[in-house]
Amino acid sequence: MTSLVLSTATRFLLPLMLLFSLFLLLRGHNDPGGGFVGGLVAATGFVLYALAYGVEAAQRVLRVHPRVLIAIGLLCALGSGALACMSGQPFLTGLWSGYEIPVLGKVGTPLVFDVGVYVMVVGVTLLIIFSLAEE
Amino acid sequence: MATLLAFVIGGLYAAGLYLMMRRNLVKLILGLVLLSNGANLLLFTMAGLTPAQPPLIPPGASRLSTSAADPLPQALILTAIVIGFGIIAFLLVLVHRTVHAVGTDDLDAVRTTDT
Amino acid sequence: MTILPVLPVVIPLTVAAVSLLAWRWRALQRWLGLAGTMALFGTVLWLFAVVWRDGVQVTQLGNWPAPFGITFVADLFSAIMLLLAGLMGVVVVLYSLASISPAHEAFGYYPLLQILLAGVCGAFLTGDIFNLYVWFEVMLIASFVLLALGGERPQLEGAVKYVTLNLISSTFFLTAVGILYGITGTLNLADLSRVLSSEPQPDLTLTVAMLFLVAFGIKAAVFPLFFWLPAAYHTPPVAVTALFSGLLTKVGVYASMRVFTLLFMPQGNSIRLLLLLIAGLTMVTGVLGAVAQNEFRRLLSFHIVSQIGYLLMGLGLFTPPALTGAIFFMAHVIVAKAALFLVSGITYRLTGTYELKKLGGLSHTYPGLALLFLLPAFSLAGIPPLSGFWAKLILIRAGLGAEHYVIVATALAVSILTLFSMTKIWTEVFWKEYPEQGPSPASSVPLWSVPVRLALFFPTAVLAACSVMMGLAVEPCLAVAQRAAEQLLHPAAYVQAVLGRLP
C-alpha cells in the first residue's frame, strides 16, 4: 500500500521532526522536553518513513542498525556518569563547564547523558517497531 | 475524586485479571495491559490528588513554589509506563511466535511443558 | 572509594554495549563476555574485601543526598550475593563457550547475559525500593529473551507462563510501592525503615507487607506461586538454566530478606508465622514434585522450589542463627544447584537425552562426571562434611532454639526425600546398566577436543569444589554469614550509613 500524499509529506516531515526532536532534547534540562521525548519524536519520524516507503528504505535512511544506536546511547550515558567518577565525585554527578555557549547555555555532563538517552530511545523504539513490522 | 479513581483502579485490576483468566492468548495480553495501567493509576492516586502547578522551577527562582505538584510519582509512572511498553512489545512478539508454533491461540493448548 | 559500589552494574552494562557494537564478531563477543565477567568477579571480590574491612559502603548517585536521590548500598549480605553472582557469571560464560549454539549467539546471547548480570547486581546493590523494581525489570527482560531465544515450541510455552506470572508479580510490586509511598512519602529503604519504626501504622503496613510477599513470592517461586518455574526452567539451554537457578529466584529471596528485615520484621509476629508456614509448604511440595519426576532437569527444577523453602525458613525464624543459616544456605544452594544443572548438560551432550529411563551406566564410562554429580548432590541432600550439611544443621538448630518444632520436623523429612530423589538420579543415570540393547551412545561419542572438555568440566569442577570447600572451611564462611546476619538484624548501621545520621 503506497499513498502519494503520505510519501510526499514524509519527505518534508522527517527532517522537520528530526529538527523538532533536537529542539526538545536541548530544551529539556529546565523545561518540559528532554532526551526521552526527543528520542520518541525522532523515532516516530523514521517510523513514518517506514510506513510510507517500507522498513528497508527506513533502515537505509537511518544508515546504522538500531542496535548500534542502543550501544552508543548506553555508552554515552555511562560515560557521562563515569566522567564524574574521574573527578572524585559520585557516579552520575552533574559537572558543568564554566562558560556559556550562545544558544545552548551552560553545557555539562547531564546534556551528554540526555544525548545518550535520546540515541538509545531512538534505537530501542526502532528496533522494536522494525522487528514487529518484519514479523 | 480519589474515591472515583479508587473505583476506576479496582475496575481496571478486576477487568485485567478477568481477561487473563480467559483461555485466549490475545486476551492475556490485553489483561496485562489493563493491569499495568491500573498499577500506574494507583501510583498516581496514592501520591495524593491536589490541584497544583506543574513542578517546574520558574526562571530566576532556585526552588519549586509551594503550590507545585510532587514530581516524584510522575517520574515513577513514566518509568513504569516505559518498562510496561517494552515488556508488552516483547510479549506481543512472543505470543505471535507461540501462536505460530502451537497453531492455536487457546491457552489450554500451551501445556506440553507442564508437569 | 565512592565508585566501587556502582562498578558491578557499570561493568556488565559497558560490556553489553561493546558486545552490541561487536555484533558480527562472535569470537570477540565470547572473549568480551569472559573478560567482562572476570572483571566483574574481581570487582565484587574487591568490594567484598572493602565491606568486610570498613563496613557498609554507600554511594549517592548524582551526589543527591540520601532520601531524595537513588542510593547504592553494599552491606555484607549484598557483598556476599554479589560475590556469588560474579562467580556464577564467570562459570556460566565459560560453560557457554562450549555449549551455546551459533544460532543463540547470533541473537545476542552474550550481551543479554551481561544485561541480566547488571540487573541482578543492581537489585543486590540498590537502596531504593522503586529502583529495586527497575533492576528487577532489567533482569527480567533479559531473562525473558534468554528463555525464549531459539524459539522452539517448549521454550515459547514456558516463556509465556514465565512472562505472565512475572508481570503479575511486577504489578503487585508496583502496587505495594505506590501504597508505601502514599503512607510514608519516601522510597529510600533506609528512610522507610526509619519512618515505619518511628510512626508505626500496623494495618497499612501489613497490607503492604502482604503485597510484597506475593510479589517476591512469585519471583522466588514459593508455594503456592511456583508453578511457572518447573514449566519453564527445563526448556532453555542448560547454561541459561544454571544461571537462572543460581540467580533469578535468589534475587526474589534476597529482596524479601532485605525488605522484610528493614521494614516489616520489627513489628511482624504474624508475618513470621506466615513465612514459616509458606516455607514448610514450599519445601514439601517442591520435594514431592521432584520425587515424582523422571526427567533430569525437571527434577532439579522442582528441587529449586524445595530449597527456597529452607531460605524462607531462616527468614521466618528471624533469629541471629537462623539468618546466619539462611545466608550460608543461600551460598550453598546457588553453587550446588548450578553444578548439578551443569552436570545434567554434560550428560545430555554425552547421551542426547534428559530422560532418566533412557540413561544408564555412566559411572563406568565417565567416573569423573559421576564424582562431579555426587559431590553437589550429596551436598544438597545434607551429607557431612559437605556444605549442605552445615547449612541445614545451623537452620535446624536455629529452629530448635526458637522452639518451632513443626518446621524442624518438616525440614528433616524433606531432607530425607531430597536424598531419596538424588539417589534416584544417581542409580538411574550412573549406576544401573544401560537400558537398551547395544552399546550406549555415551561410549561412542566422538572424543571432544581439549578446549571443549575444559570449558564443560572446569566450571562444573569449580562449583563442586566450592561446595566441598564451604563444607571443609565452615568456620570462616560461618563467620562471614554471621556478621551479615547481624547487620540484617540490626539495620541501624545500614540506616546510618545511608542517611548519614542516627535514626
Side-chain angles (χ1 to χ4, degrees):
Chain A
M1 180 205 73
T2 52
S3 146
L4 188 62
V5 176
L6 182 63
S7 50
T8 316
T10 303
R11 281 180 188 279
F12 296 100
L13 275 176
L14 177 59
L16 278 178
M17 288 176 88
L18 289 182
L19 270 178
F20 181 57
S21 72
L22 284 181
F23 165 74
L24 280 175
L25 165 70
L26 294 177
R27 178 184 143 91
H29 190 68
N30 283 332
D31 288 304
F36 187 81
V37 200
L40 278 183
V41 171
T44 318
F46 286 106
V47 172
L48 193 64
Y49 200 89
L51 285 178
Y53 295 97
V55 172
E56 276 179 30
Q59 265 167 347
R60 270 200 306 279
V61 171
L62 189 63
R63 282 163 197 274
V64 291
H65 196 279
R67 185 196 310 130
V68 180
L69 292 179
I70 297 178
I72 293 172
L74 190 56
L75 286 177
C76 241
L78 286 171
S80 80
L83 275 178
C85 288
M86 281 168 203
S87 60
Q89 309 261 24
F91 190 68
L92 282 175
T93 307
L95 299 176
W96 299 92
S97 71
Y99 48 90
E100 295 206 4
I101 296 175
V103 185
L104 302 180
K106 272 191 185 173
V107 175
T109 50
L111 182 66
V112 182
F113 186 84
D114 244 12
V115 170
V117 172
Y118 175 93
V119 175
M120 194 160 163
V121 168
V122 174
V124 171
T125 317
L126 288 182
L127 192 66
I128 291 174
I129 290 177
F130 284 174
S131 27
L132 277 175
E134 279 168 355
E135 274 285 323
Chain B
M1 192 62 190
T3 325
L4 177 67
L5 277 177
F7 277 107
V8 173
I9 294 164
L12 280 173
Y13 273 70
L17 287 173
Y18 173 72
L19 277 176
M20 292 176 74
M21 282 185 254
R22 305 300 298 269
R23 279 173 30 189
N24 185 305
L25 274 167
V26 180
K27 286 180 182 157
L28 178 77
I29 299 183
L30 291 177
L32 280 174
V33 173
L34 287 187
L35 205 58
S36 63
N37 280 320
N40 293 339
L41 200 57
L42 181 119
L43 270 180
F44 178 69
T45 315
M46 276 311 288
L49 293 171
T50 46
Q53 309 287 316
L56 292 170
I57 301 174
S62 63
R63 56 175 60 216
L64 276 179
S65 68
T66 45
S67 62
D70 184 359
L72 190 68
Q74 304 181 11
L76 302 189
I77 295 167
L78 183 61
T79 314
I81 288 176
V82 171
I83 292 174
F85 163 73
I87 293 181
I88 296 295
F90 174 76
L91 198 61
L92 269 174
V93 177
L94 181 69
V95 164
H96 181 82
R97 293 264 169 87
T98 311
V99 169
H100 268 269
V102 180
T104 167
D105 61 354
D106 187 352
L107 267 172
D108 274 2
V110 192
R111 285 165 71 164
T112 50
T113 61
D114 280 2
T115 41
Chain C
M1 279 306 287
T2 50
I3 189 177
L4 194 52
V6 291
L7 276 182
V9 176
V10 172
I11 292 173
L13 280 181
T14 314
V15 175
V18 177
S19 308
L20 278 178
L21 286 176
W23 188 261
R24 290 185 200 291
W25 299 284
R26 307 273 163 69
L28 186 58
Q29 278 194 24
R30 271 177 234 143
W31 295 117
L32 265 174
L34 191 58
T37 44
M38 296 269 218
L40 177 66
F41 187 58
T43 314
V44 291
L45 262 180
W46 182 22
L47 181 62
F48 179 82
V50 171
V51 172
W52 178 254
R53 201 185 55 215
D54 301 339
V56 182
Q57 295 293 306
V58 176
T59 186
Q60 315 283 2
L61 291 189
N63 218 0
W64 297 101
F68 308 112
I70 289 171
T71 315
F72 265 34
V73 197
D75 68 347
L76 202 54
F77 183 39
S78 297
I80 294 172
M81 296 306 294
L82 284 168
L83 204 57
L84 292 165
L87 176 69
M88 289 303 299
V90 175
V91 163
V92 166
V93 168
L94 255 180
Y95 193 85
S96 305
L97 292 180
S99 67
I100 291 298
S101 70
H104 274 86
E105 289 183 352
F107 282 108
Y109 173 79
Y110 287 104
L112 282 167
L113 211 63
Q114 298 293 334
I115 294 174
L116 182 82
L117 281 175
V120 170
C121 291
F124 288 155
L125 279 167
T126 187
D128 181 284
I129 191 105
F130 189 79
N131 201 236
L132 180 65
Y133 165 79
V134 173
W135 289 118
F136 258 119
E137 297 303 307
V138 169
M139 170 187 99
L140 284 176
I141 291 177
S143 71
F144 295 161
V145 185
L146 279 176
L147 188 63
L149 215 60
E152 285 164 28
R153 179 173 171 176
Q155 283 186 304
L156 293 172
E157 292 191 7
V160 166
K161 290 159 208 164
Y162 178 74
V163 173
T164 309
L165 259 296
N166 274 297
L167 275 186
I168 295 176
S169 135
S170 299
T171 312
F172 273 101
F173 194 170
L174 209 53
T175 311
V177 170
I179 297 176
L180 203 55
Y181 184 71
I183 304 173
T184 59
T186 179
L187 292 171
N188 186 296
L189 279 171
D191 204 30
L192 279 170
S193 167
R194 183 184 64 80
V195 173
L196 285 180
S197 56
S198 60
E199 312 154 20
Q201 306 193 20
D203 299 340
L204 274 173
T205 318
L206 193 65
T207 312
V208 176
M210 288 305 110
L211 282 170
F212 275 123
L213 190 62
V214 173
F216 297 146
I218 293 179
K219 290 192 200 294
V222 305
F223 180 87
L225 310 163
F226 65 87
F227 294 100
W228 57 271
L229 191 146
Y233 266 29
H234 62 95
T235 58
V238 86
V240 176
T241 312
L243 192 66
F244 282 14
S245 86
L247 294 181
L248 293 195
T249 46
K250 307 305 180 288
V251 176
V253 178
Y254 166 85
S256 39
M257 282 173 93
R258 172 69 69 209
V259 169
F260 279 85
T261 51
L262 272 177
L263 305 188
F264 305 124
M265 273 314 190
Q267 312 98 317
N269 224 343
S270 50
I271 297 179
R272 273 179 241 170
L273 275 179
L274 183 64
L275 275 173
L276 282 180
L277 180 71
I278 294 175
L281 287 170
T282 308
M283 282 181 214
V284 173
T285 41
V287 86
L288 288 181
V291 167
Q293 287 303 312
N294 280 312
E295 206 246 33
F296 208 146
R297 285 205 287 174
R298 289 189 190 204
L299 203 161
L300 292 178
S301 300
F302 269 105
H303 266 298
I304 300 178
V305 177
S306 160
Q307 311 295 328
I308 297 286
Y310 285 93
L311 298 171
L312 280 191
M313 173 183 162
L315 180 60
L317 289 172
F318 203 65
T319 57
L323 279 178
T324 311
I327 294 169
F328 190 79
F329 199 96
M330 184 94 96
H332 142 72
V333 78
I334 287 177
V335 167
K337 186 43 79 36
L340 288 177
F341 271 113
L342 295 186
V343 169
S344 82
I346 298 177
T347 317
Y348 181 75
R349 285 276 290 236
L350 289 170
T351 61
T353 180
Y354 288 111
E355 291 294 331
L356 295 183
K357 292 264 178 287
K358 294 182 188 161
L359 288 162
L362 281 180
S363 67
H364 305 301
T365 34
Y366 293 94
L369 185 64
L371 183 69
L372 283 184
F373 173 79
L374 206 59
L375 287 174
F378 274 10
S379 178
L380 212 60
I383 305 289
L386 298 158
S387 56
F389 168 71
W390 301 106
K392 283 182 181 170
L393 182 72
I394 301 158
L395 273 177
I396 283 166
R397 281 185 55 179
L400 289 176
E403 299 182 346
H404 283 289
Y405 298 114
V406 180
I407 191 80
V408 169
T410 317
L412 286 172
V414 168
S415 209
I416 293 172
L417 284 173
T418 309
L419 183 61
F420 168 69
S421 61
M422 284 300 150
T423 47
K424 176 174 165 183
I425 301 185
W426 171 253
T427 44
E428 293 278 339
V429 177
F430 294 97
W431 235 345
K432 78 166 192 243
E433 290 301 317
Y434 185 66
E436 286 160 37
Q437 296 296 316
S440 97
S443 59
S444 60
V445 160
L447 215 57
W448 294 337
S449 64
V450 175
V452 169
R453 237 184 293 172
L454 202 63
L456 288 179
F457 282 94
F458 179 66
T460 320
V462 166
L463 288 180
C466 280
S467 181
V468 176
M469 287 301 292
M470 273 164 54
L472 294 181
V474 69
E475 283 286 321
C477 294
L478 268 185
V480 175
Q482 210 156 13
R483 211 201 273 183
E486 286 294 326
Q487 285 183 359
L488 278 182
L489 275 170
H490 305 287
Y494 181 97
V495 174
Q496 193 188 1
V498 174
L499 296 179
R501 60 195 144 89
L502 273 173

